[in-house]
């Protein structure tokens, strides 16, 4: 088997690689939700491919929520604001909030 050597081997000539923006639509959706929700910091993790919200209000302990869609995240945020205890199970069957 004769294949071309990889570009990361020792002694290889450096190759210019263009940077890439991952999931621009999801990142934009998270940025928009962040603007609409003053009590939360909202972002999209390109590594975990999930929307994340962190409560900014003074609480007993930090609160972080993750979801796969913006709609699910907003629903979980409303539940958290109503005082649902950390560790409540959402419709997906997974814990949606935990104390960090």
């Amino acid at each position: 088997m004769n294949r071309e050597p990889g570009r990361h081997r020792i002694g290889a000539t450096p190759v210019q690689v263009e940077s890439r923006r991952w999931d621009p639509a999801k990142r934009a959706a998270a940025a928009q939700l962040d603007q609409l929700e003053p009590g939360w910091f909202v972002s999209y993790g390109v590594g975990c491919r999930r929307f994340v919200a962190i409560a900014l209000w003074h609480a007993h302990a930090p609160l972080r929520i993750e979801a796969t869609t913006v709609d699910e995240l907003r629903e979980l945020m409303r539940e958290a604001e109503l005082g649902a205890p950390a560790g409540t199970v959402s419709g997906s069957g997974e814990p949606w909030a935990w104390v960090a």
Side-chain angles (χ1 to χ4, degrees):
M1 177 163 78
N2 193 4
R3 63 181 184 170
E4 192 165 328
R7 69 176 186 227
H8 297 292
R9 74 183 190 288
I10 295 175
T13 304
V15 176
Q16 183 67 30
V17 178
E18 291 185 34
S19 64
R20 179 176 173 186
R21 293 191 56 97
W22 297 94
D23 299 327
K26 290 182 179 181
R27 293 174 70 192
Q32 183 180 26
L33 185 58
D34 185 54
Q35 292 295 311
L36 295 171
E37 298 287 347
W40 296 87
F41 169 74
V42 179
S43 67
Y44 178 75
V46 294
C48 64
R49 299 287 200 269
R50 294 178 65 82
F51 292 93
V52 178
I54 300 171
L56 297 177
W57 67 82
H58 181 68
H60 173 65
L63 176 64
R64 174 186 164 124
I65 299 171
E66 289 188 11
T68 55
T69 67
V70 171
D71 291 335
E72 180 186 10
L73 186 68
R74 287 189 93 167
E75 181 180 322
L76 297 174
M77 290 162 67
R78 298 296 81 84
E79 288 179 24
E81 289 170 350
L82 292 173
T88 299
V89 177
S90 68
S92 67
E94 298 179 7
W96 61 266
W98 63 90
V99 176

